[in-house]
Amino acid sequence: MPVVEDSVATLPLPPLSADTTMGELLRLYPGAQRALFAKFHVGGCRSCGFSPSETLGQVCARNEDMALDEAIVCIQSAYEADASLQISPQALVELRETRPEVKLLDVRTREEHEAVAIAGSQLMTQELMQEVFISWDKQVPVVIYDHQGDKAMDAAAYFLGHGFSETKCLAGGIDAYSLEVDQTLPRYRLEMEE
């Protein structure tokens, strides 16, 4: 049984062009750097990195004349794939009502988890990771969350790659959950985000 058929609403894809700066591109498409690196080896290390002020056209031109339209298709495809891995805060509430066995994993730091956490969630530790891979039923829904939905996406992909077919990432993380579902959970900013 799928976790949630329509977990995150499908939105129109934000427009991209040769003049889109990489800073704007990463804001519109958070997984773009990962997608560009996987397909073109662009943006993942010093030798192929880019600055936020460079345009997509400039990055394509200086990377062996990478085709702009191919780069845009790659970025937008990755965006759609990322969206399919997400579950909205409200859909998580509904899932927990219909499937109480759902596992909720927090991949933030111990300090963040101890300060504020979604009820019933478990902090992902090395010990818990071993338990998960040794004894958890891979058909039970798993929802992974972090602060704002960035790191949890990679964790969800990792779980899916290891056979946990009912894994999702909480769209917007605990921050979105506190805004949309449980306003008693305090919101916070990390110093690195400022």
Side-chain angles (χ1 to χ4, degrees):
M1 173 190 310
V3 173
V4 173
E5 293 282 333
D6 187 22
S7 45
V8 175
T10 304
L11 300 174
L13 295 173
L16 293 177
S17 73
D19 297 329
T20 305
T21 66
M22 297 308 287
E24 179 70 2
L25 184 145
L26 293 176
R27 188 183 66 72
L28 295 170
Y29 292 89
Q33 187 165 350
R34 182 175 60 239
L36 288 172
F37 185 73
K39 181 151 178 122
F40 302 107
H41 193 81
V42 170
C45 57
R46 271 186 202 263
S47 65
C48 65
F50 48 77
S51 74
S53 62
E54 278 185 280
T55 66
L56 180 56
Q58 290 169 328
V59 170
C60 287
R62 72 174 175 79
N63 282 281
E64 299 177 16
D65 279 326
M66 181 172 62
L68 177 67
D69 57 341
E70 194 176 342
I72 290 173
V73 167
C74 171
I75 292 163
Q76 291 177 333
S77 295
Y79 179 81
E80 290 170 336
D82 284 355
S84 73
L85 293 179
Q86 297 181 359
I87 184 170
S88 70
Q90 189 56 49
L92 173 59
V93 170
E94 295 165 13
L95 176 64
R96 292 179 89 186
E97 289 170 358
T98 60
R99 304 277 307 269
E101 73 275 20
V102 67
K103 305 285 189 181
L104 191 56
L105 299 178
D106 183 349
V107 294
R108 297 173 303 146
T109 66
R110 180 172 303 282
E111 293 78 16
E112 288 174 284
H113 182 77
E114 289 173 356
V116 59
I118 299 173
S121 67
Q122 295 177 274
L123 177 64
M124 180 56 77
T125 62
Q126 283 294 79
E127 295 79 22
L128 180 58
M129 185 72 117
Q130 289 177 352
E131 177 189 324
V132 167
F133 287 103
I134 291 171
S135 63
W136 281 19
D137 180 349
K138 292 184 176 185
Q139 302 309 309
V140 169
V142 175
V143 176
I144 301 173
Y145 75 92
D146 60 12
H147 183 214
Q148 295 182 317
D150 305 331
K151 294 180 207 165
M153 184 69 72
D154 291 335
Y158 183 80
F159 269 64
L160 286 164
H162 283 84
F164 288 86
S165 59
E166 299 294 318
T167 302
K168 294 284 184 182
C169 164
L170 181 60
I174 194 170
D175 194 54
Y177 188 88
S178 68
L179 279 171
E180 299 173 27
V181 173
D182 185 355
Q183 290 80 27
T184 66
L185 294 176
R187 295 180 67 216
Y188 63 94
R189 285 185 57 87
L190 297 173
E191 287 182 27
M192 297 178 298
E193 295 173 344
E194 295 176 3

